[in-house]
Amino acid sequence: MIDYKTLKHSDNGMPTWDAFLGPILQVTSTKNLWKRQELIQSVLNEINLPEELMTLRYSSKYHDLVAADRVNWALSDLKISGLLAAPKRGLYQITTLGQHALNKYGLNITREYIHSQPAYLEHQKKIKSKKEFDNEITEEQTFELSEKQIKDWFEKQNSDLSETLIAKLRKTDPYQFEEMMVKLLNAMGYKGTNGQSVVTQKSNDGEMLTNLMIQYKVGVQVSQTYELYDIDDDFFEQ
């Protein structure tokens, strides 16, 4: 049994998606084949996640379970990197490479390690090539491009960005930090009597703070913009 408190986690105690990399490999090494949902639940049981974190949901319209979603993110990257294999859809097993990583690093497997694997680098090279992506799209890739999968991908990117922001904020001196918070409050529309915000209370909720910074684009900038289109039913009813 793994103590979830010893894993890398967000301010609310929820393990980050990459904290699940080691536990997933440890659980998958105990038998040959795992069904996806069975594996996810076994991983959450293995780290002894408390009920309040096990049932925590996103506030988005899908209301997905946060913990299960993060295990899914880790599963995806482990598969892409070649540490897990999927002999059939929805079935997973640890590979020789995955077993070697588990033996060498145990629970301390990082995103940097799996993202440095040749299979992952090759995958990244392919998706950067629009021509290859268009020509080689498969049924599984088509499924992954559903609205929910796109939403999951964006939430994973925001989670990574939030963790990077927290790390930078921890290295910021108090005066600069206060200026950043004033800019954030101004962006949110909170201003004092003289039109300028003032920081009056300390907050320890780093995850909420970084989420607000991302939402109001304080300390971050747009890298790329994607648009999703839907049918305009009103147009066809005219």
Side-chain angles (χ1 to χ4, degrees):
M1 191 71 72
I2 303 167
D3 183 357
Y4 79 97
K5 295 178 183 177
T6 64
L7 301 174
K8 178 183 173 185
H9 55 269
S10 306
D11 285 0
N12 64 356
M14 177 70 73
T16 58
W17 74 268
D18 50 334
F20 285 107
L21 297 169
I24 288 173
L25 289 181
Q26 181 165 301
V27 171
T28 52
S29 69
T30 60
K31 74 175 188 179
N32 186 39
L33 277 178
W34 289 85
K35 294 181 180 179
R36 174 187 285 268
Q37 291 306 320
E38 176 193 15
L39 177 55
I40 291 173
Q41 191 58 51
S42 294
V43 169
L44 296 178
N45 292 340
E46 178 67 19
I47 67 171
N48 201 24
L49 201 64
E51 184 70 17
E52 62 268 22
L53 292 179
M54 190 86 78
T55 57
L56 183 65
R57 294 180 180 272
Y58 292 113
S59 58
S60 64
K61 69 177 182 178
Y62 296 102
H63 299 294
D64 291 335
L65 291 166
V66 176
D69 220 27
R70 291 186 177 184
V71 176
N72 266 316
W73 297 344
L75 274 174
S76 176
D77 275 17
L78 286 169
K79 178 186 170 186
I80 291 170
S81 301
L83 277 71
L84 288 182
K88 291 184 180 180
R89 180 175 291 235
L91 292 178
Y92 293 86
Q93 63 184 179
I94 193 168
T95 63
T96 302
L97 180 63
Q99 189 64 59
H100 171 75
L102 179 62
N103 293 340
K104 185 174 183 179
Y105 299 107
L107 299 178
N108 300 315
I109 297 172
T110 65
R111 74 175 77 176
E112 288 78 18
Y113 175 77
I114 63 170
H115 289 175
S116 69
Q117 298 306 305
Y120 187 88
L121 295 175
E122 181 63 25
H123 174 79
Q124 291 299 99
K125 188 185 299 183
K126 284 185 177 182
I127 64 175
K128 285 181 180 179
S129 171
K130 186 177 185 302
K131 181 177 179 181
E132 287 185 6
F133 182 83
D134 289 341
N135 290 341
E136 297 179 14
I137 195 162
T138 64
E139 179 184 352
E140 182 177 357
Q141 288 171 313
T142 302
F143 170 77
E144 290 178 354
L145 289 175
S146 68
E147 181 184 355
K148 184 177 182 301
Q149 291 296 319
I150 293 172
K151 183 272 303 181
D152 287 346
W153 183 86
F154 274 106
E155 286 187 345
K156 181 170 181 284
Q157 303 312 304
N158 275 347
S159 176
D160 290 348
L161 180 58
S162 178
E163 290 170 27
T164 303
L165 272 174
I166 289 176
K168 284 188 173 294
L169 289 173
R170 284 173 177 159
K171 297 177 182 178
T172 304
D173 69 72
Y175 296 105
Q176 186 180 3
F177 179 81
E178 184 169 352
E179 286 185 9
M180 291 178 180
M181 295 307 96
V182 168
K183 289 179 181 178
L184 175 59
L185 290 171
N186 285 336
M188 295 172 64
Y190 295 105
K191 298 188 178 182
T193 55
N194 62 350
Q196 181 64 38
S197 300
V198 178
V199 177
T200 59
Q201 185 176 358
K202 180 180 178 182
S203 172
N204 291 319
D205 195 340
E207 187 171 17
M208 179 180 292
L209 173 60
T210 53
N211 286 341
L212 288 171
M213 291 178 71
I214 295 170
Q215 180 181 347
Y216 289 94
K217 297 181 178 62
V218 174
V220 298
Q221 60 183 355
V222 175
S223 174
Q224 293 187 51
T225 301
Y226 298 89
E227 293 182 330
L228 295 178
Y229 293 91
D230 200 356
I231 296 295
D232 182 357
D233 292 327
D234 292 339
F235 174 82
F236 290 97
E237 292 177 0
Q238 292 179 357

